[in-house]
Amino acid sequence: MKQMEQQEPAASYPAFWPVLAAIFIGSFVGMYHVVSLNVSLPGFIRIFDTELQTVQWMMTGFTLASGIVIPISGYAMERFGCKRVFLFAIGGITISSFLCAQSWNIEALIAFRIIQGLFCGLIQPVSLALIYRSIRVEKQSFALSVWSFSTVLGTAIGPSLSGWLQSFDWHLIFLITVPVGIVAWIVGTVVLPKDLANVSARLDWPGLLLATAGSLALLLLFGNMNVWGWDSLLTWTMLVAGVGCFVLFVWQERRSDHPLLQLRLLLNPRFALSLMASLILSFGLYSVVYFMPLLLVEMKGLSPFRVGLLFLPAAGCLTVATFAAGRWYNRVGPAKLIMIGCSILVVSTYYFSRMPPETSLVAIMIWLAVRNTGTGLASTPATNASMSSVPQEWIGHASALLNWLRQVFSAMALGVCTSMFYWRMGIHQAEAGGVGEGTSQYRLAYMHSIHDVFLVSSIIVACAIPIALLLGRRMTASLTTPKESESL
């Protein structure tokens, strides 16, 4: 029998809004630092008198650290409880942010950013798990919408805010979240409920090493795919190493008495189908979020600040749609919301793949808003459908598995789309007679290459619609059968 450290169970359900406020603030702080350097990164070349290849490690190292630590979050929540891990992550983000602001050279800043990535990698899965551990079932879908809004808010204002702060003092990029982190830690300490900590839980070291090696290999591969190319020995070495580690990881988890991640969750049809929909949606999301600013800069000559302003109405629509999906979840069901949202995503992304150069900024702004409405309607229900289908004792493992696969799949999506862009760019340039940069033919080839990426993205997002249909049938069948998760 497992020896449990008895604490007040989460079933006591504390006050809704104080708990949600703590989760929201913590998630926002973590997400802000994920995207905070997207615009301001080049400025550090001048600040530290260095090169882009060196400065790039401020983001690359952060991403690698975040991806590596996510698999261990499931064990950490089981062993120490969600509240302790949440407070540990918030405290770590706050301290590492302060250390980043004290950096004396670029090497120190990269090192502190890697440490920051470890804690930011923990905060998303643990904050998601807290929703299902400390909030009543009937309010979980709305709470998930609020949690999703925290990531939206961080993504929407993070790049613009950090770019603006850098124009005054680059230290403020990191210092601005220190008081917010302190508030989140204090509020979390007071209002979050204590939960059960399994003191007999054991860490699956072979599984951790395999997951770490596999994540590291694939994240490096997808982050450098466009530089290395498919004919590089390094590309194929990382691909074989990453896939091989994941195959061994699955084998290890199936035979382990204390698996790092409960892969048996994938035997739950509802969880697996919802997870597949989430991963496909992340592919569609990142392809447009990354390439649309590039298209606007090249095609319209907009500054990064004006691009950010153009995206603000879309961020507002994403917020409204996310909250609406939370309100309608129990009434409409996740399958219909996912199908409606994906249909909007497919149509709007396809429009961008055929958008002519003379398209007005107002039309682009409207279509971005329409597209984000589809994202908000589909993404939150997909997450809630997967998380609400697992037993309470596996919530931490489900959150860790979901966030880990999203991290790897998002990196894969960005790497594949970037490689596709450069491949199509070479073809379009050759068709135009090998034109150089700065010419109208070059800009046209650039635009057509991004159009090709959007076209493929719309096709991939369309694959989520039949998955949503299967999810709807599965949920209808489960109304007359025992809960699927109970058979795991």
Side-chain angles (χ1 to χ4, degrees):
M1 180 180 297
K2 293 181 178 180
Q3 298 175 350
M4 305 293 290
E5 180 183 316
Q6 295 296 331
Q7 301 175 350
E8 181 185 349
S12 58
Y13 294 124
F16 176 79
W17 284 109
V19 169
L20 196 55
I23 297 173
F24 179 93
I25 298 172
S27 178
F28 169 79
V29 169
M31 183 52 62
Y32 167 82
H33 286 295
V34 171
V35 301
S36 62
L37 300 186
N38 287 7
V39 171
S40 59
L41 188 69
F44 287 95
I45 299 175
R46 173 186 52 82
I47 292 171
F48 289 107
D49 190 22
T50 184
E51 300 175 346
L52 178 60
Q53 289 181 334
T54 302
V55 170
Q56 188 68 38
W57 274 98
M58 292 171 60
M59 291 186 65
T60 302
F62 180 97
T63 302
L64 292 175
S66 178
I68 287 171
V69 79
I70 290 176
I72 204 174
S73 61
Y75 159 78
M77 285 183 273
E78 180 183 359
R79 173 61 182 83
F80 301 103
C82 286
K83 179 176 181 176
R84 289 178 179 174
V85 178
F86 179 84
L87 296 177
F88 174 74
I90 286 294
I93 293 173
T94 304
I95 293 173
S96 60
S97 298
F98 178 79
L99 292 175
C100 285
Q102 309 307 312
S103 299
W104 52 92
N105 57 33
I106 188 62
E107 289 78 16
L109 183 52
I110 291 172
F112 292 139
R113 275 283 291 177
I114 292 174
I115 296 173
Q116 189 181 58
L118 293 172
F119 294 107
C120 287
L122 280 176
I123 197 64
Q124 289 305 104
V126 72
S127 59
L128 177 59
L130 273 171
I131 292 175
Y132 295 90
R133 287 277 181 89
S134 56
I135 292 177
R136 295 182 183 279
V137 175
E138 62 271 16
K139 294 185 177 181
Q140 286 174 358
S141 60
F142 177 73
L144 184 65
S145 299
V146 177
W147 177 83
S148 299
F149 173 60
S150 70
T151 64
V152 171
L153 185 63
T155 303
I157 73 172
S160 300
L161 179 60
S162 65
W164 181 67
L165 291 173
Q166 192 180 55
S167 65
F168 293 98
D169 186 349
W170 70 267
H171 302 84
L172 295 176
I173 295 175
F174 304 100
L175 289 176
I176 193 172
T177 60
V178 171
V180 181
I182 293 173
V183 170
W185 193 91
I186 294 174
V187 173
T189 301
V190 174
V191 305
L192 290 179
K194 296 179 180 180
D195 51 355
L196 294 175
N198 184 1
V199 297
S200 65
R202 297 290 179 266
L203 181 59
D204 178 18
W205 285 104
L208 176 61
L209 293 176
L210 289 169
T212 300
S215 299
L216 183 62
L218 291 184
L219 289 172
L220 283 173
L221 168 64
F222 297 129
N224 296 278
M225 186 183 296
N226 64 299
V227 178
W228 296 344
W230 281 107
D231 56 348
S232 169
L233 176 62
L234 193 56
T235 295
W236 288 100
T237 300
M238 289 296 176
L239 180 60
V240 172
V243 173
C245 285
F246 279 125
V247 170
L248 291 175
F249 174 73
V250 173
W251 176 78
Q252 166 64 22
E253 298 308 279
R254 292 187 63 183
R255 62 186 291 270
S256 175
D257 294 330
H258 303 278
L260 183 70
L261 292 173
Q262 288 288 358
L263 298 184
R264 291 173 62 193
L265 287 166
L266 298 176
L267 299 177
N268 181 337
R270 181 176 170 184
F271 180 87
L273 290 171
S274 304
L275 176 61
M276 290 172 61
S278 293
L279 297 181
I280 291 173
L281 287 170
S282 68
F283 188 101
L285 174 65
Y286 278 91
S287 61
V288 173
V289 166
Y290 181 77
F291 284 98
M292 181 56 74
L294 298 178
L295 182 61
L296 291 172
V297 170
E298 188 64 35
M299 189 172 74
K300 299 293 186 180
L302 300 183
S303 65
F305 178 72
R306 291 186 66 191
V307 171
L309 292 179
L310 197 67
F311 271 78
L312 283 180
C317 288
L318 180 59
T319 301
V320 173
T322 298
F323 279 105
R327 289 292 188 184
W328 297 338
Y329 183 88
N330 293 326
R331 187 191 320 164
V332 178
K336 291 181 180 179
L337 289 172
I338 294 171
M339 282 189 286
I340 295 171
C342 286
S343 299
I344 296 173
L345 279 170
V346 170
V347 172
S348 56
T349 307
Y350 181 79
Y351 168 81
F352 288 137
S353 73
R354 291 293 181 266
M355 185 174 61
E358 62 272 14
T359 304
S360 68
L361 293 179
V362 173
I364 295 173
M365 183 176 63
I366 291 173
W367 276 99
L368 283 171
V370 170
R371 189 178 188 280
N372 273 15
T373 300
T375 301
L377 290 176
S379 58
T380 300
T383 301
N384 194 32
S386 58
M387 292 294 295
S388 61
S389 65
V390 302
Q392 187 68 211
E393 63 270 18
W394 282 3
I395 286 294
H397 284 272
S399 179
L401 183 60
L402 179 66
N403 281 275
W404 180 47
L405 292 178
R406 275 182 179 173
Q407 178 86 358
V408 174
F409 198 82
S410 298
M412 182 189 73
L414 191 54
V416 169
C417 288
T418 303
S419 296
M420 184 188 307
F421 165 77
Y422 282 109
W423 168 54
R424 296 300 296 172
M425 185 68 180
I427 293 176
H428 290 306
Q429 278 186 287
E431 292 175 347
V435 295
E437 294 185 25
T439 64
S440 59
Q441 292 89 348
Y442 174 85
R443 286 193 294 271
L444 198 60
Y446 194 99
M447 182 186 69
H448 287 324
S449 301
I450 294 181
H451 282 175
D452 294 339
V453 172
F454 289 163
L455 177 61
V456 172
S457 178
S458 65
I459 295 172
I460 292 176
V461 172
C463 296
I465 297 177
I467 293 175
L469 286 170
L470 291 174
L471 178 62
R473 292 178 181 177
R474 171 60 59 178
M475 294 186 68
T476 301
S478 68
L479 293 176
T480 57
T481 59
K483 188 178 180 181
E484 292 162 340
S485 60
E486 292 176 357
S487 63
L488 292 178

